[in-house]
Amino acid sequence: MKSLSDTILIIHIIAGVIALAVAPIAMVVKKGGQSHKRWGLIFFWSMTVIFVTALFLSTVKWIPFLLMISVFSYYSVFSAYRWKFQKKLHRGDTVKWYDWLAAIVNAIFNTTYVAWGIYLIFIDVQGAFPYLSIGFGTLGLLLSKKNIQLFLKPHEAQAWLYRHIGGMIGGFIAALTAFSSQVMGFLPTWLQWSWPSLIGVPLIYIFIVRLKRKIDQSKAVS
């Protein structure tokens, strides 16, 4: 079992390096072009490998944080990828059953983590994990909530685009957080966990706001 775990760990690390390397490329190349699609697809499948290997490692070695961050990051990326195929929900297209399933499973999983974090605080467990459990669990719940809301009432034609961008970058931020927590021990603990979000979340917000403004201006001109 140790040999198998070591092999899967190596695969996990290689996939992580690839994902962290190609994500910025997908972000900077022309959106919608072949390069963007190619690098984005490599990122998606790298994150898929990370997710599968993390499920194994976190279960066999019981690493709660790895399980939590892998589910959070992968649902973010998976849902972002799936939004590419749901561009016409506002015109009456139906949501696939596996998109519903993923959103519901993610919501249940993150509800469990929020409850667990609260319980750990209640029994006075020290350290950062209880608060991380509540924080990431809450973010995961909000992600499922927003997706389900759009499944039920897809009111905006460009909603898929905003969810695609936010989800892909959000998954990258989560993966970067996991990387930081493992290799940036020279930073204070709170900063190891927070700097990717402190930088990345405002950038997502600014980018999407500017994109919305650009799209609105384009509509006004036409």
Side-chain angles (χ1 to χ4, degrees):
M1 178 63 77
K2 186 177 186 302
S3 177
L4 176 61
S5 295
D6 290 345
T7 301
I8 291 178
L9 177 60
I10 292 171
I11 295 171
H12 180 79
I13 293 171
I14 292 173
V17 171
I18 293 172
L20 292 176
V22 302
I25 301 175
M27 292 179 198
V28 300
V29 296
K30 182 180 178 181
K31 305 301 178 288
Q34 288 302 314
S35 292
H36 176 73
K37 293 177 181 178
R38 183 186 310 114
W39 292 114
L41 199 58
I42 293 173
F43 174 69
F44 171 75
W45 284 112
S46 297
M47 291 296 291
T48 301
V49 173
I50 291 171
F51 174 64
V52 173
T53 53
L55 285 183
F56 176 86
L57 293 169
S58 61
T59 303
V60 171
K61 299 186 176 183
W62 186 232
I63 310 173
F65 165 73
L66 180 60
L67 179 61
M68 175 182 67
I69 200 73
S70 63
V71 171
F72 175 83
S73 60
Y74 190 63
Y75 179 68
S76 182
V77 170
F78 173 80
S79 62
Y81 177 74
R82 286 294 306 151
W83 275 111
K84 293 198 312 172
F85 305 97
Q86 301 177 92
K87 298 178 181 180
K88 297 181 180 180
L89 289 185
H90 65 292
R91 295 183 181 177
D93 279 8
T94 57
V95 179
K96 301 298 184 183
W97 66 267
Y98 39 83
D99 294 310
W100 278 108
L101 179 63
I104 293 169
V105 169
N106 182 67
I108 293 172
F109 179 89
N110 283 287
T111 299
T112 302
Y113 259 91
V114 170
W116 189 17
I118 293 172
Y119 170 73
L120 292 176
I121 292 174
F122 180 76
I123 63 174
D124 201 28
V125 171
Q126 301 300 309
F129 182 76
Y131 302 96
L132 291 170
S133 182
I134 294 172
F136 276 101
T138 300
L139 290 174
L141 274 172
L142 291 174
L143 181 57
S144 279
K145 175 178 176 289
K146 183 61 177 179
N147 282 339
I148 290 173
Q149 285 177 332
L150 290 173
F151 290 168
L152 295 171
K153 293 183 179 180
H155 58 280
E156 190 175 359
Q158 299 299 328
W160 73 270
L161 178 59
Y162 308 139
R163 301 306 294 170
H164 175 73
I165 294 170
M168 283 294 189
I169 300 178
F172 172 67
I173 291 172
L176 194 58
T177 300
F179 172 80
S180 173
S181 70
Q182 296 300 309
V183 304
M184 295 189 174
F186 56 88
L187 294 175
T189 301
W190 69 270
L191 194 56
Q192 293 174 30
W193 295 99
S194 62
W195 74 262
S197 294
L198 291 174
I199 296 173
V201 172
L203 289 178
I204 293 175
Y205 176 79
I206 292 170
F207 181 80
I208 291 179
V209 167
R210 288 183 175 179
L211 180 61
K212 284 184 177 181
R213 188 178 300 139
K214 183 178 179 180
I215 291 173
D216 290 342
Q217 289 174 347
S218 176
K219 288 180 180 178
V221 171
S222 60

